[in-house]
Coordinates of all heavy atoms in Angstrom, one line a residue:
D1 N 76.3 96.9 86.6 CA 76.1 95.5 86.8 C 75.8 95.3 88.3 O 76.7 95.6 89.2 CB 77.3 94.7 86.3 CG 77.1 93.2 86.4 OD1 76.2 92.7 87.1 OD2 77.8 92.5 85.7
T2 N 74.7 94.7 88.7 CA 74.4 94.5 90.1 C 75.2 93.4 90.7 O 75.1 93.2 91.9 CB 72.9 94.2 90.2 OG1 72.6 93.1 89.4 CG2 72.0 95.4 89.8
N3 N 75.9 92.6 89.9 CA 76.8 91.6 90.5 C 78.2 92.0 90.8 O 79.0 91.2 91.1 CB 76.8 90.4 89.5 CG 75.4 89.7 89.4 OD1 74.8 89.5 90.4 ND2 75.0 89.5 88.2
L4 N 78.5 93.3 90.6 CA 79.8 93.8 90.8 C 79.8 94.9 92.0 O 78.8 95.6 92.1 CB 80.4 94.5 89.6 CG 80.6 93.6 88.4 CD1 81.1 94.4 87.2 CD2 81.6 92.5 88.7
T5 N 80.9 94.9 92.7 CA 81.1 95.9 93.7 C 82.4 96.7 93.4 O 83.4 96.0 93.0 CB 81.2 95.3 95.1 OG1 80.0 94.5 95.4 CG2 81.5 96.3 96.2
L6 N 82.4 98.0 93.5 CA 83.5 98.8 93.3 C 84.0 99.4 94.6 O 83.2 100.0 95.4 CB 83.2 99.9 92.3 CG 82.7 99.5 91.0 CD1 82.3 100.8 90.1 CD2 83.7 98.6 90.2
Q7 N 85.3 99.3 94.9 CA 85.9 99.9 96.1 C 87.1 100.7 95.7 O 87.9 100.2 94.9 CB 86.3 98.8 97.1 CG 85.2 98.1 97.7 CD 85.7 96.9 98.5 OE1 86.1 95.9 98.0 NE2 85.6 97.1 99.9
Y8 N 87.2 101.9 96.2 CA 88.2 102.9 95.7 C 89.3 103.1 96.8 O 88.9 103.2 98.0 CB 87.6 104.2 95.4 CG 86.6 104.1 94.3 CD1 85.3 103.7 94.5 CD2 86.9 104.4 93.0 CE1 84.3 103.6 93.5 CE2 86.0 104.3 91.9 CZ 84.7 103.9 92.2 OH 83.8 103.8 91.2
Y9 N 90.6 103.1 96.4 CA 91.7 103.2 97.4 C 92.7 104.3 96.8 O 92.9 104.4 95.6 CB 92.4 101.9 97.6 CG 91.5 100.9 98.2 CD1 90.7 100.0 97.4 CD2 91.4 100.7 99.5 CE1 89.8 99.1 97.9 CE2 90.6 99.7 100.1 CZ 89.8 98.9 99.3 OH 89.0 98.0 99.9
P10 N 93.3 105.0 97.8 CA 94.3 106.0 97.3 C 95.6 105.4 96.8 O 96.3 106.1 96.0 CB 94.5 106.9 98.6 CG 94.1 106.0 99.7 CD 93.1 105.1 99.2
T11 N 96.0 104.2 97.2 CA 97.2 103.6 96.8 C 97.0 102.1 96.5 O 96.0 101.5 97.0 CB 98.3 103.7 97.8 OG1 98.0 102.9 98.9 CG2 98.6 105.2 98.2
L12 N 97.9 101.5 95.7 CA 97.8 100.1 95.4 C 98.0 99.3 96.7 O 97.3 98.3 96.9 CB 98.8 99.7 94.4 CG 98.8 98.3 93.9 CD1 97.4 97.9 93.4 CD2 99.8 98.0 92.9
T13 N 98.9 99.8 97.6 CA 99.2 99.1 98.8 C 97.9 99.1 99.7 O 97.6 98.0 100.3 CB 100.3 99.8 99.6 OG1 101.5 99.7 98.8 CG2 100.6 99.1 100.9
D14 N 97.2 100.2 99.7 CA 95.9 100.2 100.5 C 94.9 99.2 99.9 O 94.2 98.5 100.7 CB 95.3 101.6 100.5 CG 96.1 102.6 101.4 OD1 96.6 102.1 102.4 OD2 96.1 103.8 101.1
L15 N 94.8 99.2 98.6 CA 93.9 98.2 98.0 C 94.3 96.8 98.4 O 93.4 96.0 98.8 CB 93.9 98.4 96.5 CG 92.9 97.5 95.7 CD1 92.4 98.2 94.5 CD2 93.5 96.2 95.4
E16 N 95.5 96.4 98.3 CA 96.0 95.1 98.6 C 95.8 94.7 100.0 O 95.5 93.6 100.4 CB 97.4 94.9 98.2 CG 97.6 94.9 96.6 CD 99.1 95.0 96.2 OE1 100.0 95.4 97.0 OE2 99.3 94.7 95.0
N17 N 95.9 95.7 100.9 CA 95.8 95.4 102.4 C 94.4 95.7 102.9 O 94.1 95.6 104.1 CB 96.8 96.3 103.1 CG 98.2 95.9 102.9 OD1 98.5 94.7 102.7 ND2 99.1 96.8 102.8
N18 N 93.5 96.2 102.0 CA 92.1 96.5 102.3 C 92.0 97.5 103.4 O 91.3 97.4 104.4 CB 91.3 95.2 102.7 CG 89.8 95.4 102.6 OD1 89.4 96.2 101.9 ND2 89.1 94.5 103.3
T19 N 92.8 98.6 103.3 CA 92.9 99.7 104.2 C 92.6 101.0 103.6 O 92.9 101.1 102.4 CB 94.2 99.7 105.0 OG1 95.3 99.9 104.0 CG2 94.5 98.5 105.8
N20 N 92.2 102.0 104.3 CA 92.0 103.3 103.8 C 91.1 103.4 102.6 O 91.3 104.2 101.7 CB 93.3 104.0 103.5 CG 94.2 104.1 104.8 OD1 93.7 104.5 105.8 ND2 95.5 103.8 104.6
E21 N 90.0 102.6 102.6 CA 89.1 102.7 101.4 C 88.5 104.1 101.4 O 88.2 104.7 102.4 CB 88.0 101.7 101.6 CG 87.0 101.7 100.5 CD 85.8 100.7 100.7 OE1 85.9 99.9 101.6 OE2 84.9 100.8 99.8
I22 N 88.3 104.6 100.2 CA 87.7 105.9 100.0 C 86.2 105.7 100.0 O 85.6 105.2 99.1 CB 88.2 106.6 98.7 CG1 89.7 106.8 98.7 CG2 87.4 107.9 98.4 CD1 90.3 107.2 97.3
T23 N 85.6 106.2 101.1 CA 84.1 106.0 101.2 C 83.4 107.4 101.0 O 82.2 107.4 100.8 CB 83.8 105.4 102.6 OG1 84.3 106.2 103.6 CG2 84.3 104.0 102.7
N24 N 84.2 108.5 101.2 CA 83.6 109.8 101.0 C 84.5 110.5 100.0 O 85.5 111.2 100.4 CB 83.5 110.5 102.3 CG 82.9 111.9 102.2 OD1 82.6 112.4 101.1 ND2 82.8 112.5 103.4
P25 N 84.2 110.5 98.7 CA 85.1 111.1 97.7 C 85.4 112.6 98.0 O 86.5 113.0 97.7 CB 84.4 110.9 96.4 CG 83.4 109.8 96.7 CD 83.1 109.9 98.1
S26 N 84.5 113.3 98.5 CA 84.7 114.8 98.7 C 85.7 115.0 99.8 O 86.3 116.1 99.9 CB 83.4 115.5 99.0 OG 82.8 115.0 100.2
A27 N 86.0 114.1 100.7 CA 86.9 114.2 101.7 C 88.2 113.4 101.5 O 89.1 113.4 102.4 CB 86.3 113.8 103.1
A28 N 88.3 112.8 100.4 CA 89.5 111.9 100.1 C 90.7 112.7 99.8 O 90.7 113.7 99.1 CB 89.2 111.0 98.9
L29 N 91.8 112.2 100.4 CA 93.1 112.8 100.1 C 93.9 111.8 99.2 O 94.2 110.7 99.7 CB 93.9 113.1 101.4 CG 93.3 114.1 102.3 CD1 94.1 114.2 103.6 CD2 93.2 115.5 101.6
V30 N 94.0 112.1 98.0 CA 94.7 111.2 97.0 C 95.9 111.9 96.4 O 96.0 113.1 96.3 CB 93.7 110.7 96.0 CG1 92.6 109.8 96.6 CG2 93.1 111.8 95.1
G31 N 96.8 111.1 95.8 CA 97.9 111.7 95.2 C 99.2 111.4 96.0 O 99.2 111.2 97.2
D32 N 100.3 111.5 95.3 CA 101.6 111.2 95.9 C 102.2 112.5 96.4 O 102.5 113.4 95.6 CB 102.5 110.6 94.9 CG 103.8 110.1 95.5 OD1 104.2 110.6 96.6 OD2 104.5 109.3 94.9
T33 N 102.3 112.7 97.7 CA 102.8 114.0 98.3 C 104.2 114.3 97.9 O 104.7 115.4 98.0 CB 102.6 114.0 99.8 OG1 103.3 112.9 100.4 CG2 101.1 114.0 100.2
T34 N 105.0 113.2 97.5 CA 106.4 113.5 97.1 C 106.5 114.1 95.8 O 107.6 114.6 95.4 CB 107.2 112.1 97.1 OG1 106.6 111.3 96.1 CG2 107.1 111.4 98.4
L35 N 105.4 114.3 95.1 CA 105.4 114.9 93.7 C 105.0 116.3 93.8 O 104.7 116.9 92.7 CB 104.4 114.1 92.8 CG 104.8 112.6 92.6 CD1 103.7 111.9 91.8 CD2 106.1 112.4 92.0
T36 N 104.9 116.9 94.9 CA 104.4 118.3 95.1 C 105.1 119.3 94.2 O 104.4 120.2 93.6 CB 104.6 118.8 96.6 OG1 103.9 117.8 97.4 CG2 104.1 120.2 96.8
N37 N 106.4 119.2 94.0 CA 107.1 120.2 93.1 C 107.2 119.8 91.7 O 107.9 120.4 90.9 CB 108.5 120.5 93.7 CG 108.3 121.1 95.1 OD1 107.5 122.0 95.3 ND2 109.2 120.7 96.0
D38 N 106.6 118.7 91.3 CA 106.7 118.2 89.9 C 105.7 119.1 89.1 O 104.8 119.7 89.6 CB 106.3 116.7 89.8 CG 107.5 115.9 90.2 OD1 108.5 116.4 90.5 OD2 107.3 114.6 90.2
P39 N 105.9 119.1 87.8 CA 105.1 119.9 86.9 C 103.6 119.4 86.9 O 103.3 118.3 87.2 CB 105.7 119.7 85.5 CG 106.5 118.5 85.6 CD 106.9 118.3 87.0
I40 N 102.7 120.3 86.5 CA 101.3 120.0 86.4 C 101.2 119.0 85.2 O 102.1 118.7 84.4 CB 100.5 121.2 86.2 CG1 100.9 122.0 84.9 CG2 100.5 122.1 87.4 CD1 99.9 123.1 84.6
N41 N 100.0 118.5 85.0 CA 99.7 117.5 84.0 C 100.4 116.1 84.2 O 100.5 115.3 83.3 CB 100.1 118.0 82.6 CG 99.3 119.2 82.2 OD1 98.1 119.3 82.6 ND2 99.8 120.0 81.4
L42 N 100.7 115.8 85.5 CA 101.3 114.5 85.9 C 100.2 113.6 86.2 O 99.3 113.9 87.0 CB 102.2 114.7 87.1 CG 102.9 113.5 87.5 CD1 103.9 113.0 86.5 CD2 103.7 113.7 88.8
V43 N 100.1 112.4 85.6 CA 99.1 111.5 85.8 C 99.3 110.7 87.2 O 100.4 110.2 87.4 CB 99.0 110.4 84.7 CG1 97.9 109.4 85.0 CG2 98.7 111.1 83.4
Q44 N 98.4 110.7 88.0 CA 98.4 110.0 89.3 C 97.2 109.0 89.2 O 96.4 109.1 88.3 CB 98.4 110.9 90.5 CG 99.7 111.7 90.5 CD 99.8 112.4 91.9 OE1 99.7 111.7 92.9 NE2 100.1 113.7 91.8
Y45 N 97.0 108.2 90.2 CA 96.0 107.1 90.2 C 95.2 107.0 91.5 O 95.8 107.2 92.6 CB 96.7 105.8 89.8 CG 97.2 105.8 88.5 CD1 98.6 106.1 88.2 CD2 96.5 105.4 87.4 CE1 99.1 106.2 87.0 CE2 97.0 105.4 86.1 CZ 98.3 105.8 85.9 OH 98.8 105.8 84.6
V46 N 94.0 106.6 91.3 CA 93.2 106.0 92.3 C 93.0 104.6 91.9 O 92.8 104.3 90.7 CB 91.8 106.7 92.4 CG1 90.8 106.0 93.4 CG2 92.0 108.2 92.9
Y47 N 93.1 103.7 92.9 CA 93.0 102.2 92.5 C 91.6 101.7 92.9 O 91.1 101.9 94.0 CB 94.1 101.5 93.3 CG 95.4 101.9 92.7 CD1 96.1 103.0 93.3 CD2 96.0 101.3 91.7 CE1 97.3 103.4 92.8 CE2 97.2 101.7 91.1 CZ 97.9 102.8 91.7 OH 99.1 103.2 91.2
I48 N 91.0 101.0 92.0 CA 89.6 100.5 92.1 C 89.7 98.9 92.2 O 90.3 98.3 91.3 CB 88.7 100.9 91.0 CG1 88.8 102.4 90.8 CG2 87.3 100.4 91.2 CD1 88.2 102.9 89.5
A49 N 89.1 98.4 93.2 CA 88.9 96.9 93.3 C 87.5 96.6 92.8 O 86.5 97.0 93.4 CB 89.1 96.5 94.8
V50 N 87.5 95.9 91.7 CA 86.2 95.5 91.1 C 86.0 94.0 91.4 O 86.8 93.2 91.0 CB 86.2 95.7 89.5 CG1 84.9 95.3 88.9 CG2 86.5 97.2 89.2
S51 N 85.0 93.7 92.2 CA 84.8 92.4 92.6 C 83.4 91.9 92.3 O 82.5 92.6 92.2 CB 85.0 92.3 94.2 OG 84.2 93.2 94.8
G52 N 83.4 90.6 92.1 CA 82.1 89.9 91.9 C 81.5 89.6 93.2 O 82.2 89.2 94.2
N53 N 80.2 89.7 93.3 CA 79.5 89.5 94.6 C 79.4 88.0 95.0 O 79.1 87.7 96.1 CB 78.1 90.1 94.6 CG 78.2 91.6 94.5 OD1 79.1 92.2 95.0 ND2 77.2 92.2 93.9
N54 N 79.8 87.1 94.1 CA 79.6 85.7 94.3 C 80.9 85.0 94.5 O 80.9 83.7 94.6 CB 78.8 85.0 93.2 CG 77.5 85.7 93.0 OD1 76.8 86.0 94.0 ND2 77.0 85.9 91.8
T55 N 82.1 85.7 94.5 CA 83.4 85.0 94.6 C 84.1 85.5 95.8 O 84.3 86.7 96.0 CB 84.2 85.3 93.4 OG1 84.4 86.7 93.2 CG2 83.6 84.7 92.1
I56 N 84.5 84.6 96.7 CA 85.2 85.0 98.0 C 86.5 84.1 98.1 O 86.5 82.9 97.8 CB 84.3 84.7 99.2 CG1 83.1 85.6 99.1 CG2 85.0 85.0 100.5 CD1 82.0 85.4 100.1
D57 N 87.6 84.8 98.5 CA 88.9 84.0 98.6 C 89.0 83.4 100.0 O 88.0 83.5 100.8 CB 90.1 84.9 98.3 CG 90.3 86.0 99.4 OD1 89.7 86.0 100.5 OD2 91.1 86.9 99.1
H58 N 90.1 82.8 100.3 CA 90.3 82.1 101.6 C 90.3 83.0 102.8 O 90.1 82.5 103.9 CB 91.6 81.2 101.5 CG 92.8 82.1 101.5 ND1 93.3 82.8 100.4 CD2 93.7 82.4 102.5 CE1 94.4 83.4 100.7 NE2 94.6 83.2 102.0
T59 N 90.5 84.3 102.6 CA 90.4 85.2 103.8 C 89.1 85.8 104.0 O 88.9 86.5 105.0 CB 91.4 86.4 103.5 OG1 90.9 87.2 102.5 CG2 92.8 85.9 103.2
G60 N 88.1 85.4 103.1 CA 86.7 86.0 103.3 C 86.5 87.2 102.5 O 85.4 87.8 102.5
R61 N 87.5 87.7 101.8 CA 87.4 88.9 101.0 C 86.9 88.5 99.6 O 87.3 87.5 99.0 CB 88.7 89.7 100.9 CG 88.6 91.0 100.1 CD 89.9 91.7 100.1 NE 89.8 93.0 99.4 CZ 90.8 93.8 99.2 NH1 92.0 93.5 99.5 NH2 90.5 94.9 98.5
K62 N 86.1 89.4 99.0 CA 85.6 89.1 97.6 C 86.8 89.1 96.7 O 87.7 90.0 96.8 CB 84.6 90.2 97.2 CG 83.3 90.2 98.0 CD 82.4 91.3 97.5 CE 81.2 91.3 98.4 NZ 80.3 92.4 98.0
C63 N 86.8 88.2 95.7 CA 87.9 88.2 94.7 C 87.7 89.5 93.9 O 86.6 89.9 93.6 CB 87.8 87.0 93.8 SG 88.0 85.4 94.8
Y64 N 88.8 90.1 93.5 CA 88.8 91.3 92.8 C 89.8 91.5 91.6 O 90.8 90.7 91.6 CB 89.0 92.5 93.7 CG 90.3 92.5 94.4 CD1 91.4 93.1 93.9 CD2 90.5 91.9 95.6 CE1 92.7 93.1 94.5 CE2 91.7 91.8 96.3 CZ 92.8 92.5 95.7 OH 94.0 92.5 96.3
T65 N 89.5 92.4 90.8 CA 90.5 92.8 89.7 C 90.8 94.2 90.0 O 90.0 95.1 90.4 CB 89.8 92.7 88.3 OG1 89.5 91.3 88.1 CG2 90.7 93.2 87.3
V66 N 92.1 94.6 89.9 CA 92.6 95.9 90.1 C 92.5 96.8 88.9 O 92.9 96.3 87.8 CB 94.1 95.9 90.6 CG1 94.6 97.4 90.8 CG2 94.2 95.1 91.9
V67 N 91.8 97.9 89.0 CA 91.7 98.8 87.9 C 92.3 100.2 88.3 O 91.7 100.9 89.1 CB 90.2 99.0 87.5 CG1 90.1 100.0 86.3 CG2 89.6 97.7 87.1
P68 N 93.5 100.5 87.8 CA 94.0 101.9 88.1 C 93.3 102.9 87.3 O 93.2 102.8 86.1 CB 95.5 101.8 87.8 CG 95.6 100.6 86.8 CD 94.4 99.7 87.0
Q69 N 92.7 103.9 88.0 CA 92.1 105.0 87.3 C 93.0 106.3 87.3 O 93.1 106.8 88.4 CB 90.7 105.3 88.0 CG 90.0 106.5 87.4 CD 89.6 106.3 85.9 OE1 88.9 105.3 85.6 NE2 90.0 107.2 85.1
G70 N 93.5 106.6 86.2 CA 94.4 107.8 86.1 C 93.6 109.1 86.2 O 92.5 109.2 85.7
Y71 N 94.2 110.1 86.8 CA 93.7 111.4 86.8 C 94.8 112.4 86.8 O 95.9 112.1 87.1 CB 92.8 111.6 88.0 CG 93.5 111.6 89.3 CD1 94.0 112.8 89.9 CD2 93.8 110.4 90.0 CE1 94.7 112.7 91.1 CE2 94.5 110.4 91.2 CZ 94.9 111.5 91.7 OH 95.6 111.5 92.9
I72 N 94.5 113.6 86.3 CA 95.5 114.7 86.3 C 94.9 115.9 87.0 O 93.8 116.3 86.8 CB 95.7 115.1 84.8 CG1 96.3 114.0 84.0 CG2 96.6 116.4 84.7 CD1 96.4 114.2 82.5
I73 N 95.7 116.4 87.9 CA 95.3 117.7 88.6 C 96.0 118.8 87.9 O 97.2 118.9 87.7 CB 95.8 117.7 90.1 CG1 95.2 116.5 90.8 CG2 95.4 119.0 90.8 CD1 93.7 116.5 90.9
N74 N 95.2 119.7 87.4 CA 95.7 120.9 86.6 C 95.1 122.1 87.2 O 94.0 122.5 86.7 CB 95.4 120.7 85.1 CG 96.1 121.7 84.3 OD1 96.8 122.6 84.8 ND2 96.0 121.6 83.0
P75 N 95.7 122.7 88.2 CA 95.1 123.9 88.9 C 94.9 125.1 88.0 O 95.6 125.4 87.1 CB 96.0 124.2 90.0 CG 97.3 123.5 89.8 CD 97.0 122.4 88.7

């Protein structure tokens, strides 16, 4: 949809604060480092801000919906 913009973030806090946007997926560091010793097949998330190009809030940021995209790292 040409009326939507997708922005990807490593954490929900980053998405909410509009910081650390993932602009280069091949160089992105995602995942919770505190889970290093947990078993494989653990679902973690990248957070996607899906926004309409025609809606802006009082801060000047596009209004968005949060879409958590789960992934599993299984080496």
Side-chain angles (χ1 to χ4, degrees):
D1 186 340
T2 58
N3 292 314
L4 297 178
T5 299
L6 305 176
Q7 294 173 283
Y8 299 83
Y9 297 88
T11 68
L12 183 57
T13 301
D14 286 329
L15 183 148
E16 291 170 342
N17 294 324
N18 200 21
T19 57
N20 298 317
E21 179 181 355
I22 299 170
T23 57
N24 182 356
S26 63
L29 298 175
V30 297
D32 187 341
T33 57
T34 64
L35 301 173
T36 301
N37 295 320
D38 282 358
I40 60 173
N41 296 328
L42 181 68
V43 178
Q44 295 192 50
Y45 294 90
V46 170
Y47 295 87
I48 306 168
V50 180
S51 56
N53 295 328
N54 300 322
T55 57
I56 297 176
D57 69 11
H58 69 282
T59 68
R61 185 176 182 187
K62 294 178 183 178
C63 297
Y64 62 88
T65 298
V66 177
V67 178
Q69 176 64 57
Y71 66 92
I72 298 173
I73 302 297
N74 191 354

